[in-house]
Amino acid sequence: MKYAIGIDGGGTKTLGILADRDGRVLASASAGGTNHQICGASTAGQRLAGLAFALLEAAGVSTREIGFLCMGLAGADRREDVCLLERHLPEFLREIPHGIWNDVWIAFATGTVSEWGAVSVSGTGHNAAVRTPEGQTFGINALKFPLGNAGGGRMLTDWALHMAFRAWEHTGPETLLTRELPQACGQKDSAGIFENVYNSQYTAQYDWPVPRLVDDLACRGDPVCRELLGKLGAVQGEILAGLMHHAGLTEGKVPVVLAGSIYQKTASPVLFDAFYEKIRGVCPDAQFTVAQRPPCTGAVLMALKQMVPSAGDDLRLSWLPTLEKTLKEKEVV
C-alpha cells in the first residue's frame, strides 16, 4: 500500500500527517517553523527532513511506500522560493514523489473538493490566490503593506490601537476600545499600553488578543469596531475580487474559500458582508465556504489527489470524514 504525507509549514510551527489511501491518519508530528524567509532555507530543509523521518518512524513506513508528499509552506511565494527550498531538501526527501506549494493552496483544499476557484487567507497576515479551470494561477505579493498587501490580524490590531489612542487623545470618535483594551492586554491603563508598544519598537501589540476584542465590541454595537471590521473585509475582498477579475473568474458558481483565524473566529457579520459585497461585484454567483479544518488536512488531501488523480468527487469527499475522525482519535486536533 502507498501512503500520503501532508505538511503544513508556518513561521513558528510545522505540522505533518501521514495517512493511508483511505484517509486514515497513522501518524502525526510537529517541528519548528519552516518559513525560509524567517528561519533560512537550510534550517527549513532540516526541519522538514526531521519531521518526515519522525512520521515514517512512527508509522513504520519506508520512503519507498510514500505515494506523495505535499508540503504547503508559508514563504513559498515565488518560483524562486520553491527552487531554493528544493535545493535544501535532503536527498531522501527528493527521492519521494513530492511537491511544494504555498500554504494558501492547502487552506483552499480544506474548503472544497474543486481543483479551481479562489481563496482568501486571513490570520496573522493575509494572502489571496485564484486558480482557473485550466490550471492557471494568480496570486498576490503576500508581503507587507508597502509592497501591495493589506489585511490580516496584525493590520486590524494596528488600526484598533490607532483608533483607541485617537479617542484617548480626543482626536477621534469615542470607542469602547479605549476603556476595554487595557484589561484585554493585561495593562493597567492606556498609558501602560503606550509604554509597552513604544518600548518594544511597536511589536508588543501583536501578542495581545486585539482582533478578538474588536470582534466582541463590534458585536456589542461599537461603531468604530464595526467600521474596522468592515474595512478589513472590504480590503481583503477587494484584493481577491481583483484577482478573480484578472483571471476571468466572473461567471457561474466559482468556489471561494475563506480560511485562517480571522475568518474562523470572527462572529460579527460586518466583516463577511463587506467581503462578500466586493466579490459579488465581480462574480455575482460566487459560492462561499469558511473553512474550519486545519490546513494540514488540506495538505493530506492534496497528496491523496496526486496519488489518485482519477478520483472523483465522491471519493474525495469520503477522505474528509475519515481524516477528521482519525485526527480526533489521535488528538491531533
Side-chain angles (χ1 to χ4, degrees):
M1 175 181 284
K2 292 289 187 178
Y3 301 89
I5 292 179
I7 292 178
D8 169 28
T12 59
K13 184 179 180 181
T14 301
L15 179 64
I17 295 173
L18 187 150
D20 66 17
R21 285 174 63 97
D22 295 322
R24 286 188 292 268
V25 176
L26 304 182
S28 65
S30 61
T34 48
N35 183 334
H36 74 285
Q37 296 177 9
I38 297 173
C39 68
S42 178
T43 297
Q46 292 170 9
R47 288 175 177 171
L48 289 167
L51 180 61
F53 183 79
L55 290 169
L56 293 170
E57 188 174 47
V61 172
S62 71
T63 56
R64 295 187 301 275
E65 295 176 280
I66 301 302
F68 201 85
L69 162 64
C70 170
M71 292 171 277
L73 307 179
D77 300 316
R78 303 167 301 155
R79 183 178 297 275
E80 295 88 341
D81 294 312
V82 174
C83 291
L84 178 63
L85 287 162
E86 285 279 0
R87 291 198 300 270
H88 284 85
L89 292 178
E91 186 176 353
F92 90 92
L93 275 190
R94 291 200 300 269
E95 291 176 349
I96 297 173
H98 68 276
I100 297 174
W101 286 267
N102 185 274
D103 60 346
V104 71
W105 291 113
I106 64 174
F108 177 75
T110 66
T112 178
V113 297
S114 175
E115 296 286 354
W116 62 276
V119 57
S120 174
V121 180
S122 184
T124 300
H126 168 253
N127 202 352
V130 300
R131 182 185 289 133
T132 69
E134 296 75 30
Q136 192 173 12
T137 61
F138 300 89
I140 65 171
N141 191 357
L143 297 173
K144 294 188 177 181
F145 186 81
L147 297 179
N149 197 7
R154 286 194 169 190
M155 179 165 281
L156 179 60
T157 294
D158 285 343
W159 288 346
L161 262 70
H162 175 85
M163 296 308 298
F165 278 96
R166 289 277 302 276
W168 188 51
E169 295 177 330
H170 307 291
T171 62
E174 292 185 4
T175 170
L176 292 173
L177 281 167
T178 307
R179 186 185 74 193
E180 301 202 15
L181 197 59
Q183 182 178 357
C185 299
Q187 302 300 312
K188 182 179 179 180
D189 50 27
S190 294
I193 294 178
F194 181 96
E195 291 298 326
N196 271 271
V197 173
Y198 181 75
N199 292 328
S200 69
Q201 297 184 330
Y202 301 89
T203 60
Q205 67 270 31
Y206 303 135
D207 293 327
W208 297 329
V210 180
R212 300 284 71 76
L213 177 62
V214 173
D215 180 39
D216 176 57
L217 296 181
C219 289
R220 289 158 55 185
D222 183 80
V224 167
C225 289
R226 287 177 57 85
E227 182 178 351
L228 292 181
L229 282 181
K231 182 180 177 183
L232 187 71
V235 71
Q236 293 176 174
E238 184 176 54
I239 288 171
L240 188 61
L243 289 177
M244 293 173 66
H245 183 267
H246 179 61
L249 296 180
T250 58
E251 297 181 0
K253 297 180 179 180
V254 177
V256 178
V257 175
L258 291 72
S261 59
I262 295 296
Y263 292 128
Q264 292 170 351
K265 297 179 180 180
T266 296
S268 172
V270 176
L271 172 82
F272 300 98
D273 290 345
F275 181 91
Y276 296 159
E277 181 179 1
K278 292 294 184 181
I279 300 300
R280 288 185 175 127
V282 300
C283 183
D285 296 323
Q287 302 293 296
F288 301 99
T289 300
V290 179
Q292 297 293 339
R293 303 179 180 96
C296 200
T297 305
V300 176
L301 289 171
M302 288 178 64
L304 288 168
K305 289 179 183 179
Q306 293 291 327
M307 288 171 55
V308 193
S310 61
D313 288 352
D314 290 344
L315 178 55
R316 294 175 184 175
L317 288 170
S318 74
W319 286 332
L320 279 172
T322 304
L323 275 169
E324 292 176 332
K325 180 176 182 292
T326 51
L327 282 171
K328 290 178 181 178
E329 289 173 350
K330 290 185 174 293
E331 298 181 345
V332 178
V333 293

